[in-house]
Amino acid sequence: MDEFLHVARERGYIHQVTDEAAMAARMKQGPLPAYVGFDCTADSLHVGHLLSIMMLRLLQKTGHRPVALLGGGTTRIGDPSFRDEARPLLTDEQISINKAGIRRTFDAFLDFTPGTGALMLDNAEWLDKLLYIPFLRDIGRHFSVNRMLTMDSVKLRLDREQPLSFLEFNYMLLQSYDFLELRRRHGVGLQMGGSDQWGNIIMGVELNRRCDGAEVFGLTTPLLTTASGAKMGKTASGAVWLNPDRLAPYDYWQFWRNAEDADVGRFLALFTELPMAEVRRLAALGGAEVNEAKKILATEATALLHGRAAAELAAETARRAFEEGQAAETLPAIATALPAAVIDLAVQAGFAASKGEARRLIRQNGLRLNDEAITDEALAVTEGDLRDGAAKLSAGKKRHVLVRPA
């Protein structure tokens, strides 16, 4: 078996493959370009996208060529898969902003050396140029409406008697067309995605065969939930973003540190690059020792995204805050001129990604000054708030910084 498929199987990345034997044989012949599509619905990807990103990384590490496809065109429609209602339509300006934010995420995971490295493409390059009648004649004739109505992404919406617009109904045609264009332009022979994309991927595989007689492949990753059944990457405070301007490295570290005990082994296999022998050893730990495995998970996952130095700093900050009794002198500190608006300090400390988010944190009673809940969004920290030369600013039970005068 090709090394990519062997490692992907071993680590738990694979849910379904269209023809695994034929795909393995093709991979042994030489590098196989493969892609994953990412619609630009926000200015950062989140942990829910991470499994697909790790697949692209593994693909590159095993000698194949990854392609990250940004959905500059398909975002204008919105993927209806497993959604109860249509996605809000974004302006072209917002899509451009989101594309720029998403591009930054991939630099941590993929090598984009010109000529030989990973590719980052945008399907607006070909979708924006399509002519309606030629598209219907050349591409639409290969799709059966009867079959499209049986696809889960469509069927579930109709079964619930929830509206599905003609705009959304076209999405699977455009995603399939992406696969055709990518094979014709760049030799892409494999589309990967989450298990909810299986129907769309199959359509793309068949379109390549019907239009050009080409053999291409599809692969999906498992739909990830935590051991308690929660959707992966969602927390009480919202999505776990990958860009540092949306979520600080320390908070990203804490997300992994707070994994459920039953998830540690699986997450170590999926979201770190530790050898599987070490993963199995850590997964077997029980009792209090499982907390050490969680710290390793948090540090290794954070190092992949934010770098080793940021990961170790986050681990050390957590150790000082929790294992040394949260003694004031061990807490991280920020220096600022006083008085200073507390919402600005919350952003500076990484407790919130924006002033708006800091205000929401206050409204949820999640921000404290010197262990007292903050209720005034216009509050400023002044010299009178200092205790032994510093004020303690806290978010929730686990995040604390000292505010010192500059």
Side-chain angles (χ1 to χ4, degrees):
M1 184 181 294
D2 177 84
E3 183 186 3
F4 168 79
L5 286 168
H6 172 73
V7 176
R9 279 281 180 208
E10 184 181 34
R11 300 192 80 96
Y13 287 135
I14 297 178
H15 179 62
Q16 291 172 294
V17 187
T18 52
D19 186 340
E20 189 164 344
M23 180 175 152
R26 166 60 186 85
M27 284 185 152
K28 287 181 179 178
Q29 294 173 9
L32 177 66
Y35 89 100
V36 179
F38 301 88
D39 275 349
C40 308
T41 54
D43 61 2
S44 171
L45 299 179
H46 55 71
V47 164
H49 296 104
L50 190 54
L51 196 54
S52 291
I53 297 173
M54 292 296 290
M55 286 286 281
L56 290 173
R57 181 176 172 87
L58 175 61
L59 194 86
Q60 187 166 49
K61 289 172 70 70
T62 53
H64 302 284
R65 192 173 202 184
V67 177
L69 180 67
L70 301 185
T74 44
T75 305
R76 299 170 72 181
I77 294 176
D79 186 358
S81 298
F82 297 91
R83 291 184 61 86
D84 291 337
E85 57 186 19
R87 295 179 183 273
L89 294 180
L90 302 179
T91 65
D92 290 348
E93 180 183 11
Q94 186 59 58
I95 291 173
S96 294
I97 292 171
N98 291 349
K99 279 195 296 188
I102 289 172
R103 282 192 179 98
R104 297 198 300 271
T105 301
F106 289 95
D107 289 334
F109 292 95
L110 301 176
D111 173 14
F112 288 96
T113 300
T116 59
L119 293 175
M120 181 168 288
L121 305 172
D122 184 348
N123 62 17
E125 182 180 347
W126 49 86
L127 294 183
D128 284 1
K129 298 173 184 176
L130 285 178
L131 298 175
Y132 188 58
I133 297 300
F135 180 74
L136 289 181
R137 183 192 62 211
D138 298 338
I139 303 301
R141 65 190 177 91
H142 295 295
F143 290 80
S144 162
V145 171
N146 306 65
R147 188 177 179 201
M148 291 171 70
L149 290 173
T150 69
M151 293 292 176
D152 284 344
S153 60
V154 173
K155 187 174 182 295
L156 292 177
R157 183 85 70 86
L158 298 181
D159 285 348
R160 296 170 184 167
E161 298 184 353
Q162 293 160 334
L164 179 74
S165 71
F166 182 70
L167 180 69
E168 294 174 282
F169 193 58
N170 277 271
Y171 190 91
M172 67 176 72
L173 274 72
L174 297 180
Q175 182 171 326
S176 300
Y177 184 70
D178 282 345
F179 201 174
L180 183 67
E181 282 289 332
L182 287 168
R183 185 193 56 75
R184 289 173 171 176
R185 291 168 181 245
H186 301 283
V188 172
L190 170 64
Q191 181 183 359
M192 303 186 295
S195 59
D196 60 337
Q197 294 298 311
W198 179 249
N200 291 341
I201 290 173
I202 290 293
M203 289 287 199
V205 169
E206 294 185 357
L207 184 63
N208 274 276
R209 176 179 57 80
R210 291 179 178 180
C211 285
D212 296 345
E215 182 181 41
V216 295
F217 307 97
L219 183 155
T220 60
T221 57
L223 180 64
L224 277 187
T225 58
T226 65
S228 61
K231 189 173 182 180
M232 178 67 183
K234 295 289 186 179
T235 68
S237 58
V240 181
W241 300 105
L242 299 184
N243 284 8
D245 56 341
R246 295 294 301 268
L247 188 73
Y250 177 79
D251 295 319
Y252 188 75
W253 189 95
Q254 284 289 348
F255 166 76
W256 296 106
R257 170 63 181 84
N258 293 329
E260 297 178 37
D261 292 0
D263 288 327
V264 173
R266 185 167 55 119
F267 288 176
L268 281 164
L270 295 173
F271 300 114
T272 80
E273 292 179 335
L274 291 175
M276 282 305 295
E278 177 66 2
V279 169
R280 286 187 282 268
R281 184 190 73 80
L282 292 170
L285 297 177
E289 288 184 317
V290 75
N291 289 320
E292 295 307 311
K294 290 181 182 182
K295 293 173 190 174
I296 292 171
L297 166 64
T299 300
E300 293 300 316
T302 304
L304 279 176
L305 177 62
H306 295 294
R308 181 65 57 180
E312 292 180 353
L313 176 61
E316 177 62 13
T317 300
R319 185 189 69 79
R320 290 179 177 179
F322 303 113
E323 296 178 15
E324 297 181 6
Q326 299 183 3
E329 63 271 13
T330 69
L331 294 178
I334 56 177
T336 185
L338 299 181
V342 72
I343 59 170
D344 291 335
L345 295 174
V347 173
Q348 187 178 348
F351 295 165
S354 65
K355 292 183 180 182
E357 188 174 316
R359 291 188 179 96
R360 287 193 294 273
L361 192 61
I362 291 173
R363 293 167 197 161
Q364 296 165 0
N365 296 318
L367 198 63
R368 301 189 309 281
L369 180 64
N370 294 329
D371 297 321
E372 295 290 333
I374 297 171
T375 58
D376 181 3
E377 297 175 19
L379 180 70
V381 176
T382 69
E383 296 282 351
D385 295 309
L386 302 183
R387 307 288 186 271
D388 297 322
K392 181 182 176 184
L393 187 66
S394 307
K397 297 179 179 179
K398 298 183 177 181
R399 297 182 291 171
H400 314 273
V401 297
L402 296 179
V403 178
R404 303 185 188 278

